[in-house]
Amino acid sequence: MARRIAVVGSNMTDLVTSIIRMPAPGETLEAPAFAMGFGGKGANQAVAAARLDADVMMVTKVGDDVFGQSTIDNLRNNGIDISHVGMVAGQSSGVAPIFVDESGENSILIIKGANNDLKPADIDAAAEDLKQCDLILMQLEVPLETVYYTAAFAEKHGIETILNPAPAAPDLDAAKVAKVTFVVPNESELALLTGMPTDTDEQIEQAAHALITRGIRTVIVTLGSRGARLITADKSTMIEPVKVKPKDTTGAGDAFIGSFARFYVETKELEASLQKAALYAADSITRSGTQKSYATTAEFEAFVAANRA
């Protein structure tokens, strides 16, 4: 089993509707299919790492509604340590209505619910277990104060960190997350964080450098079907994509980040881990759903072998 990873973040129940197109205001359309699944950026990233045999613990909150216990059961069934998953009385769990069109592109709404109740006190309660971790993963579907507190905790205890600033928060204080090891936005999140355009590779690099000038050392920009770009103060490296026929791109970014965390804690080889993560994310979009599209170690090894042939 790979070294220990903590995810301090969100969970959601995905409510997935397949569509031909989005309805216009006031219009009603029939949609071809509906499905429910487990999601949330934090839980997705935790499951991706766990399915690749990482030792994963999660710090999160669920509501006491119909979705709360099923979320806890799902994390447990994926081999994730649920010691610090709390249930909030009288609160709804997080849900995410997702609309997937015929090309596999998706549009997502999120209702945070109990995720808003994840507080710095929960980090203190999990502190002794967090200190045993090699890497802590964070996202922005929980309160910013908790993200800041977790980043400071990790810095104090010498734990490496990944911040996925999603969904983008324009009021994110870069100074309070400047010491995280890796910041991993997509193009639109990078644009919102910096107030700069990200339509071209040159603009993406300029925006990433704007974050670097604020103290962030390493920026990894996910580019969907174009792969990813690793940017530091003195280097920019393209992580090439793997060409597959997409069936559903939902959760691909989380597959990339969760698998990257797993590969990186094992080897500390940054570029090689990102290249493997690009393969893992590509494999995930060949199947429907979010967490259920994430490969196990054996399935991923088979995908890698097939793409080397």
Side-chain angles (χ1 to χ4, degrees):
M1 181 172 280
R3 294 162 69 180
R4 193 156 174 81
I5 295 168
V7 179
V8 175
S10 61
N11 67 85
M12 300 275 178
T13 298
D14 291 340
L15 309 171
V16 185
T17 303
S18 299
I19 61 172
I20 306 301
R21 63 174 176 84
M22 292 294 285
E27 180 184 21
T28 299
L29 291 176
E30 181 179 351
F34 172 80
M36 290 175 57
F38 296 103
K41 290 184 176 298
N44 290 347
Q45 293 168 21
V47 168
R51 289 205 173 168
L52 289 167
D53 298 316
D55 179 3
V56 181
M57 64 173 281
M58 188 156 188
V59 184
T60 192
K61 288 289 183 69
V62 300
D64 63 353
D65 56 15
V66 67
F67 301 122
Q69 188 59 52
S70 60
T71 295
I72 293 172
D73 293 342
N74 175 65
L75 294 172
R76 183 192 295 111
N77 292 340
N78 276 286
I80 294 166
D81 182 342
I82 59 168
S83 301
H84 301 287
V85 178
M87 183 174 283
V88 183
Q91 177 63 282
S92 70
S93 295
V95 295
I98 299 172
F99 305 91
V100 183
D101 70 19
E102 291 179 300
S103 70
E105 289 299 320
N106 61 77
S107 301
I108 304 174
L109 297 168
I110 64 168
I111 298 90
K112 291 182 180 180
N115 292 295
N116 276 328
D117 290 287
L118 188 67
K119 302 295 185 181
D122 298 303
I123 307 307
D124 290 337
E128 293 309 309
D129 288 333
L130 288 170
K131 289 175 188 177
Q132 305 306 311
C133 294
D134 298 284
L135 182 71
I136 298 176
L137 268 170
M138 299 169 285
Q139 315 78 30
L140 301 184
E141 288 179 337
V142 299
L144 283 178
E145 63 171 334
T146 307
V147 175
Y148 299 150
Y149 194 85
T150 305
F153 174 93
E155 181 190 2
K156 178 180 178 180
H157 296 287
I159 305 166
E160 291 193 290
T161 44
I162 297 173
L163 173 62
N164 173 214
D171 56 341
L172 178 72
D173 187 342
K176 293 184 177 178
V177 295
K179 300 300 183 182
V180 301
T181 315
F182 307 107
V183 175
V184 191
N186 64 21
E187 296 151 285
S188 62
E189 291 154 2
L190 180 62
L192 279 168
L193 285 172
T194 61
M196 300 171 67
T198 56
D199 299 318
T200 67
D201 288 342
E202 182 180 4
Q203 289 174 339
I204 287 168
E205 290 197 28
Q206 290 172 344
H209 278 285
L211 292 181
I212 290 167
T213 60
R214 298 181 201 174
I216 292 168
R217 290 167 291 175
T218 306
V219 181
I220 301 162
V221 186
T222 57
L223 304 171
S225 62
R226 296 191 295 119
R229 187 171 289 276
L230 167 64
I231 302 166
T232 62
D234 54 7
K235 189 176 182 181
S236 176
T237 304
M238 189 67 194
I239 307 300
E240 296 297 334
V242 180
K243 298 298 183 184
V244 295
K245 184 176 181 179
K247 187 171 185 179
D248 183 358
T249 62
T250 310
D254 295 330
F256 178 85
I257 293 167
S259 63
F260 165 64
R262 182 262 183 266
F263 299 134
Y264 177 75
V265 295
E266 192 70 15
T267 66
K268 302 295 184 178
E269 296 174 358
L270 179 53
E271 289 186 31
S273 296
L274 288 169
Q275 288 163 354
K276 289 182 74 174
L279 277 164
Y280 190 83
D283 178 52
S284 78
I285 68 173
T286 65
R287 292 182 289 277
S288 296
T290 306
Q291 293 177 19
K292 66 182 181 181
S293 73
Y294 298 164
T296 62
T297 296
E299 290 167 342
F300 179 58
E301 288 174 350
F303 177 79
V304 172
N307 278 274
R308 283 178 178 157

